[in-house]
Amino acid sequence: MEYPRYGQTQEAVRDQVTPSQARQDAQMAQDRPMADEPAPTGWVGWVVFAGITMMVLGCFQAFMGLVGVFNTDFYLVTAGDLAIPVNYTAWGWFHLIMGVVVVLAGVAVMAGKTWGRAVGIFLAGLQALVNFAWFPAYPFWSAIVIAVDVLVIYALAVHGREIKAFSRNGVL
């Protein structure tokens, strides 16, 4: 059927998209999450917590390393009484380097990078194991770091993919 006023068939009119329909379709496509990414839920807060915590704990770890490098007499426990007897200077350098890498991985997690999640899970597990060895020198601090590392591993492993969709929406 042809519309006399416009000289177009009914099928041609049906196939045309009005500007308001185009805006509505674009809005729906923007609101819809990507097929490979889950929609952000309330658990994305755990991932943000993990990223921020990784950055803060990485700084603390680096400061602990600096103390081991510059003031080996600071520790009450001698190096021979640790679970793994090492030189405090060498142990300090290890903590310093590990702290810097944990901070960088925390920044990557906050940016929604998959490699940041993988590195974050690995480093949080490694940091927890390292703090078991550090336990005789600082038991209370080591216990806190181990507990926080377990929370970070949980957040990144279970809900880490949600941060990508969350950061894509312009919130982070």
Side-chain angles (χ1 to χ4, degrees), residues 76-100:
L76 299 175
V77 178
T78 63
D81 291 337
L82 289 174
I84 301 171
V86 296
N87 183 351
Y88 274 127
T89 304
W91 199 242
W93 279 109
F94 179 76
H95 276 275
L96 179 64
I97 293 168
M98 188 170 166
V100 170

Side-chain angles (χ1 to χ4, degrees), residues 18 29 32-33 48 53 55 58 70 76 85 91 99 132 139 143 145 149 153 163 170:
T18 64
R32 210 173 333 153
V48 172
T53 302
M55 290 186 280
F70 293 118
L76 299 175
W91 199 242
F132 273 118
V145 171
D149 283 334
I153 291 169
I163 194 77

Side-chain angles (χ1 to χ4, degrees), residues 38-63:
T41 63
W43 286 100
V44 87
W46 278 101
V47 182
V48 172
F49 167 78
I52 292 171
T53 302
M54 286 173 64
M55 290 186 280
V56 170
L57 282 180
C59 288
F60 286 156
Q61 203 77 0
F63 288 137

Side-chain angles (χ1 to χ4, degrees), residues 7-85:
Q8 297 175 338
T9 63
Q10 186 176 6
E11 288 81 20
V13 171
R14 201 176 327 152
D15 292 340
Q16 289 179 351
V17 177
T18 64
S20 64
Q21 286 175 330
R23 280 193 304 270
Q24 187 178 21
D25 289 344
Q27 181 67 28
M28 286 177 57
Q30 187 178 16
D31 290 343
R32 210 173 333 153
M34 302 290 287
D36 61 339
E37 298 172 358
T41 63
W43 286 100
V44 87
W46 278 101
V47 182
V48 172
F49 167 78
I52 292 171
T53 302
M54 286 173 64
M55 290 186 280
V56 170
L57 282 180
C59 288
F60 286 156
Q61 203 77 0
F63 288 137
M64 197 162 66
L66 287 173
V67 170
V69 169
F70 293 118
N71 190 7
T72 56
D73 296 332
F74 179 78
Y75 300 109
L76 299 175
V77 178
T78 63
D81 291 337
L82 289 174
I84 301 171

